[in-house]
Amino acid sequence: MGEKERLEAFEKMLGAVQRQFEETSEKMERLKAQDKTKSATYRQLMGNRLIYRNMLDLYKLYGLIE
């Protein structure tokens, strides 16, 4: 894999993580509005969001995003 392909793959992955973080946060807000914060779905989404947040924090730590 060349440098250009690696950069494209990185950008694609970064976009996917950012989208997943946003979509997960939106789903959590909808469940919260329905007072379903103790549901298994909400808790699974919370775990997923934490993973996405940690990934984004690592990107920031290494100066790959602002």
Side-chain angles (χ1 to χ4, degrees):
M1 182 181 288
E3 287 184 37
K4 182 180 177 186
E5 290 83 11
R6 284 180 59 115
L7 179 59
E8 288 172 357
F10 168 79
E11 293 292 341
K12 186 175 181 180
M13 180 182 168
L14 173 60
V17 171
Q18 289 171 322
R19 278 190 305 280
Q20 286 294 98
F21 179 79
E22 290 302 320
E23 289 173 7
T24 300
S25 296
E26 290 170 5
K27 289 176 186 176
M28 288 177 69
E29 284 301 314
R30 285 194 297 272
L31 288 172
K32 188 176 180 181
Q34 297 171 8
D35 198 29
K36 294 184 178 181
T37 57
K38 295 186 183 199
S39 68
T41 301
Y42 185 87
R43 291 177 185 205
Q44 180 64 48
L45 290 170
M46 188 176 358
N48 290 347
R49 189 175 73 167
L50 181 59
I51 291 168
Y52 300 134
R53 175 82 269 153
N54 286 339
M55 290 177 75
L56 293 171
D57 287 344
L58 280 171
Y59 289 138
K60 285 181 185 179
L61 179 66
Y62 284 90
L64 299 170
I65 61 173
E66 294 179 8

